[in-house]
Amino acid sequence: MKKKLINILILSAVIFLSACEKELSTENSTLIGNELIVGKNCRIAKLVYNDTATGINLGSLAATINILDRVDQINAFDSLAVALTFAADITYSNDTIYLNVDEYFVLDLVNNRIKRLHGLTDPTDILSPQFDADYSYNANGYLIQKNYLLSPGAFPLINVAYTYTGNNLTKMTYTNLVSGEVEVDADMQYYPTISPQNYLYIFPDEFTHPEYVQFFNFGKKSANAIKKIKLSFYNSGVAVDSLVSNFASYRMSRDNYVLDVIMSGDDQPAIPAPGGSKIKFSYKCK
C-alpha cells in the first residue's frame, strides 16, 4: 500500500508536470585508518546496510570521489542479488554536473551549492516528462524550498517547503500549487545531545533522485542526529497513509563522525537503506 502511494505520488507529478562485482559491497571501505578517528574535513562516501535481525549484508550505496573532491561515480549494490541496482557516471562542464545524458544539476559557483535540477520524472524512462526544480537557500545557507516547473520561466506547479527549528530541519511540506492542496508532509525529531560532523541530509520528499542527495552540496545539514521521521500522505486534505522510521544506537568516532546507526520501522524514499537495517558509514577526507 505504501509503495503504491509513492508510485501514485510520482505519477501525479507526471500529470501536473505534463499539463558488478563483490568489491562494490562492504569490502570496498573508504574509512581511513582506525575507525575511532575518521579524520579532518571528511564527508560520507559510502553507506552499507546490514539486516539487524540476521546481520546479513543487504547492500550499499557508494560514491567515487576524486582528489578535487568531485564525485565521479555513484553505485548502488544489492548484496543479496549480487548485482548493481544503480550506476551513474558523473561529468562536469563549467557550472553543470551531468548525471547522465538527460539529467543534470546546475551549480552556484559562488558557494558550490546545487541551485537547479533538470530531471526526468521517472529516471528509468527517458521518454518520461522532463522538469526543472529550483532550489532556494536562506541567508544561513540552509535549503528552504524547491519549486518544480516545466521549463525555465514557467509558473511553479509543485512547491516543497522546509522549516527549521534552530539548526535542524523539522518539517517538510509538499504542496500541489495547481490544486492548492498539501499532498505530502513530514515531521522530523532529533537527538539534542548528538551533534555529528557532516552527517546525513534529511529531505523526505526526495522520491525520484535519492541516490545523489548525500554526495552533493545542498547547503548546511541539520546540526543534530536524526531520531525519527514521519512521512505522511494526503488525499483531499485527509491523511491516507504514513511511513515512520526511527534511528537509534548511534556509534560515534572519537572525532564525532557517525560510524553506524540502526534504522527501524518503515523504508524512507529519501534514505538509501531499508527499515530494519544497521547503516554503516565510510568517509572520504580531504
Side-chain angles (χ1 to χ4, degrees), residues 42-103:
C42 305
R43 64 180 176 120
I44 293 170
K46 186 174 184 179
L47 303 90
V48 174
Y49 31 96
N50 295 343
D51 182 79
T52 54
T54 64
I56 293 174
N57 177 235
L58 301 176
S60 62
L61 177 69
T64 302
I65 302 172
N66 64 30
I67 60 173
L68 299 177
D69 198 38
R70 287 182 168 182
V71 175
D72 287 332
Q73 190 177 60
I74 300 173
N75 291 315
F77 186 79
D78 183 333
S79 296
L80 297 180
V82 193
L84 280 172
T85 57
F86 175 86
D89 293 312
I90 314 298
T91 59
Y92 297 78
S93 177
N94 298 320
D95 65 347
T96 305
I97 304 171
Y98 290 95
L99 311 179
N100 51 57
V101 295
D102 299 299
E103 302 181 297

Side-chain angles (χ1 to χ4, degrees), residues 3 5-15 17 61 74 76 85-88 99-100 102-105 116-125 128-135 146-149 158 160 162 172 174 183-184 203-214 218 231 233 268-272:
K3 184 174 181 181
L5 279 168
I6 293 172
N7 291 336
I8 290 172
L9 175 67
I10 295 172
L11 180 60
S12 174
V14 172
I15 295 171
L17 291 171
L61 177 69
I74 300 173
T85 57
F86 175 86
L99 311 179
N100 51 57
D102 299 299
E103 302 181 297
Y104 57 83
F105 286 126
R116 168 168 285 197
L117 166 64
H118 179 82
L120 298 170
T121 306
D122 179 357
T124 65
D125 180 3
S128 65
Q130 300 182 16
F131 67 90
D132 291 294
D134 288 328
Y135 298 73
K146 301 174 188 170
N147 281 306
Y148 289 83
L149 52 158
I158 293 172
V160 177
Y162 300 111
M172 180 280 296
Y174 179 110
E183 295 184 342
V184 191
F203 300 133
D205 60 288
E206 193 54 70
F207 301 112
T208 60
H209 293 73
E211 297 87 359
Y212 301 100
V213 170
Q214 304 306 328
F218 297 95
L231 181 66
F233 301 87
Q268 288 289 333
I271 301 295

Side-chain angles (χ1 to χ4, degrees), residues 136-138 141-145 161-171 190 201-203 218-222:
S136 299
Y137 301 83
N138 64 17
Y142 291 96
L143 181 62
I144 56 172
Q145 69 174 346
Y162 300 111
T163 301
Y164 294 81
T165 302
N167 294 323
N168 292 318
L169 175 61
T170 53
K171 184 76 174 182
Y190 296 82
Y201 281 118
I202 305 295
F203 300 133
F218 297 95
K220 289 185 179 179
K221 299 178 177 181
S222 292

Side-chain angles (χ1 to χ4, degrees), residues 1 5 183 232-242:
M1 174 63 178
L5 279 168
E183 295 184 342
S232 301
F233 301 87
Y234 299 87
N235 185 0
S236 299
V238 178
V240 293
D241 204 358
S242 64

